Amino acid sequence: MEMNSQNQEKSHMASFPAKLKSNTAEFINKIKKIGEEDPRRIIHSAKVGLALTLVSFFYYFRPLYDGFGQAGMWAILTVVVVFEFTVGGTLSKCINRGCATLLAGALGVGAEYLASVCGEKGEPVVLGLMVFSLAAVSTFTRFFPNVKRKYDYGVLIFILTFSLVAVSGYRVGQILELAHQRLSTILIGGATCMIISIFFCPVWAGQDLHYLVAANIEKLAAFLQGFGGELLTFSGDESIKDSGAKNVEKSFLKGYKNVLNSKATEESLANFAWWEPPHGKFKFNHPWKQYLRIGGLSRECACLMESLNAYTNSKSLKTATSEFQIRIRQSCVEMSTESGKALNEIATAIKKMRQPPQSAETHAQKAKSAADRLKTMLHNSSLPSKPDLQEMVPLLVIASVLIDIINCVDEIALSVRELSRKARFKNPKSIAEKQAPPQQQILHRGIVSPVDGDHVVVEIQPPAADLPEKKLAPRRDTISI
């Protein structure tokens, strides 16, 4: 028994270095993966370290420490709390914290002065009542949706700062100096964060929201085109398979699921983008709410695709060989692929900040035409004498869902046009006209008059630009042919 236990301990000690090595390698791979997914995360980490180093000088240098004392710690705490990944998130917290601290500090000093008037015995009672009333009212305002979305952090800091100033002022004699030191250090910490966030490799929440909405629409387009390719592979026509449907990647059929979980991210980015100053192509008063509307419509379309995904590997589609079923399937293929092409054009237009091109509307019209033809066929055709419901129902369900998707694509297109109008996106026609080469100028005008035999008379007239000062006579030449 002792020998077995000793052998187990030796094997355990021998395997420990190997296990430690594998865990270390796994941890390094995770770090590398996180950095490769978004290199801006590494830059953000360096920016936070730079901000903390700068505000730490309040303790490193004696003159600064003598001016602010222990209150310099509030600058460090401010950097740790308010520095966010995006510029909008940092500005939101900095402005909320600065305004709330200023207002709460002023009210705290006023409350301390009012309480001191009431005498030594009445002072704690008045302070307690004011702390209770302001804290209760401020907490209740946090339940308002607009306040919760934009100013929740500021209200929280207001409650904290007012309580600290009012309560600490009861025991500290230099209340004005205390409030001034805390407010100054908080403003310095917030200003440091804002400057570094804006001017050093900025990460704009509005830009991330813009590309996120476009990427989500691209994922919907990829699903529809991939689903149409899956229906083509079930047709049994080898010539159709060779046209590209054979290479459809199943991963495209799963990308739409990320769209279903993007609501929280979109709302957070839209809230942060509201705080950001104009930057790049995003001007003042950019319609950020319209992005949320487009995102909501995209999620509705993704929900419809969730029901289609159940039929990607349906056996009934593979066994559907009757002419009636093949005609339904062909209409479904056209509706799916054309809707996907329309969404792809819309996503590209959003990325380039241009109005949706005419080709997007053309693809949407083709999808509608396929749906109308399918409705007409179902209305005029009669079911087979002995229909197999297990084969018929999946195709009819797919057709019904695709018709709903077409309507959803129309709503997305309308919302994107509204966004392009409000945001003043460029018109692709005007861009094409600017990029088109200038037409060659006509230098001369001429009249060709036939004469007898093998001769013609060519009368060449000078251009209009040559006639302002003196009128030139036309030149007549005779050419043999």
Side-chain angles (χ1 to χ4, degrees):
M1 293 295 292
E2 292 180 357
M3 292 292 294
N4 291 334
S5 61
Q6 291 179 357
N7 292 333
Q8 291 178 359
E9 290 179 359
K10 290 181 180 179
S11 61
H12 179 72
M13 293 297 294
S15 62
F16 179 75
K19 186 176 181 180
L20 179 61
K21 184 178 179 180
S22 62
N23 291 337
T24 304
E26 183 179 358
F27 180 71
I28 294 174
N29 291 331
K30 287 182 179 179
I31 295 176
K32 184 178 179 181
K33 182 179 179 181
I34 293 173
E36 290 177 348
E37 287 178 355
D38 193 350
R40 298 179 302 176
R41 296 171 180 172
I42 301 175
I43 300 175
H44 172 71
S45 303
K47 288 159 63 176
V48 174
L50 176 61
L52 283 173
T53 302
L54 292 177
V55 297
S56 298
F57 290 157
F58 287 101
Y59 274 79
Y60 296 156
F61 293 98
R62 192 69 186 181
L64 295 176
Y65 181 80
D66 293 338
F68 294 96
Q70 294 293 332
M73 185 61 67
W74 286 94
I76 298 176
L77 294 176
T78 300
V79 171
V80 174
V81 172
V82 305
F83 210 129
E84 294 290 335
F85 183 70
T86 61
V87 175
T90 303
L91 292 178
S92 172
K93 283 195 170 184
C94 287
I95 295 174
N96 271 282
R97 188 178 181 89
C99 294
T101 303
L102 179 62
L103 180 59
L107 289 177
V109 173
E112 180 62 28
Y113 176 77
L114 180 62
S116 63
V117 175
C118 297
E120 185 177 353
K121 293 183 179 180
E123 183 175 1
V125 177
V126 173
L127 286 176
L129 290 175
M130 295 193 71
V131 169
F132 170 79
S133 58
L134 283 177
V137 172
S138 301
T139 303
F140 184 76
T141 58
R142 297 178 65 190
F143 293 104
F144 290 93
N146 193 31
V147 176
K148 182 73 175 178
R149 184 173 60 255
K150 295 181 180 179
Y151 309 107
D152 184 69
Y153 181 72
V155 175
L156 187 65
I157 295 299
F158 172 81
I159 298 172
L160 175 63
T161 304
F162 177 79
S163 301
L164 289 175
V165 173
V167 173
S168 61
Y170 181 72
R171 297 295 182 184
V172 178
Q174 302 291 335
I175 182 64
L176 288 176
E177 183 179 356
L178 175 65
H180 175 265
Q181 288 179 348
R182 291 187 179 180
L183 178 61
S184 300
T185 52
I186 288 174
L187 292 179
I188 291 173
T192 303
C193 293
M194 288 191 292
I195 292 172
I196 293 177
S197 180
I198 294 175
F199 295 103
F200 292 89
C201 301
V203 179
W204 302 102
Q207 188 175 4
D208 285 355
L209 175 63
H210 180 83
Y211 288 114
L212 175 63
V213 171
N216 286 341
I217 296 178
E218 277 187 343
K219 292 174 182 177
L220 301 182
F223 174 86
L224 289 174
Q225 291 178 323
F227 185 77
E230 286 294 302
L231 292 178
L232 283 175
T233 57
F234 294 156
S235 64
D237 190 349
E238 295 298 331
S239 62
I240 296 178
K241 291 181 183 180
D242 295 337
S243 64
K246 188 187 301 183
N247 298 324
V248 174
E249 296 184 10
K250 293 294 185 69
S251 60
F252 289 165
L253 304 177
K254 306 295 182 181
Y256 75 94
K257 292 186 177 180
N258 295 329
V259 182
L260 296 172
N261 302 322
S262 64
K263 181 179 180 180
T265 304
E266 290 176 1
E267 290 181 349
S268 177
L269 290 175
N271 182 30
F272 293 153
W274 183 82
W275 292 92
E276 292 178 347
H279 55 279
K281 296 181 180 180
F282 302 96
K283 306 302 181 182
F284 181 74
N285 200 20
H286 196 78
W288 302 116
K289 290 184 179 180
Q290 191 66 21
Y291 287 95
L292 297 180
R293 173 169 173 76
I294 297 173
L297 293 173
S298 300
R299 283 187 292 277
E300 290 181 10
C301 192
C303 289
L304 295 173
M305 294 176 182
E306 181 72 22
S307 59
L308 287 181
N309 192 28
Y311 295 98
T312 53
N313 295 318
S314 177
K315 295 181 179 179
S316 59
L317 296 179
K318 299 179 182 180
T319 58
T321 56
S322 67
E323 182 181 357
F324 184 74
Q325 294 170 344
I326 291 175
R327 292 174 64 185
I328 296 176
R329 185 165 52 195
Q330 290 175 349
S331 299
C332 292
V333 169
E334 187 173 359
M335 288 189 291
S336 182
T337 54
E338 292 298 333
S339 298
K341 292 177 181 179
L343 287 179
N344 204 11
E345 295 283 349
I346 292 172
T348 304
I350 294 177
K351 279 187 174 181
K352 297 181 178 180
M353 300 190 77
R354 299 178 181 176
Q355 297 179 7
Q358 186 65 30
S359 57
E361 186 175 354
T362 302
H363 290 303
Q365 289 296 331
K366 289 182 179 180
K368 291 181 183 178
S369 300
D372 293 337
R373 291 195 300 268
L374 178 61
K375 293 177 183 178
T376 303
M377 184 193 69
L378 294 176
H379 184 266
N380 297 330
S381 302
S382 58
L383 292 175
S385 57
K386 294 181 180 180
D388 190 349
L389 295 180
Q390 290 184 349
E391 295 182 358
M392 293 292 298
V393 170
L395 282 173
L396 295 177
V397 171
I398 290 173
S400 177
V401 174
L402 285 174
I403 292 173
D404 292 336
I405 288 177
I406 292 174
N407 297 330
C408 193
V409 170
D410 281 341
E411 294 181 2
I412 293 175
L414 290 175
S415 297
V416 172
R417 291 192 186 95
E418 183 70 14
L419 171 65
S420 64
R421 183 184 66 82
K422 292 181 178 180
R424 298 179 182 178
F425 287 173
K426 295 181 180 179
N427 192 340
K429 293 183 180 179
S430 62
I431 297 175
E433 291 176 357
K434 292 180 180 179
Q435 295 177 351
Q439 297 181 353
Q440 294 182 352
Q441 184 180 1
I442 299 176
L443 299 178
H444 298 85
R445 293 179 298 172
I447 300 175
V448 180
S449 302
V451 296
D452 57 327
D454 300 331
H455 300 81
V456 295
V457 176
V458 180
E459 181 177 343
I460 302 176
Q461 298 180 353
D466 296 337
L467 302 176
E469 296 182 356
K470 58 181 180 178
K471 186 174 181 180
L472 301 178
R475 191 180 72 207
R476 300 172 61 91
D477 295 329
T478 302
I479 302 176
S480 300
I481 58 175

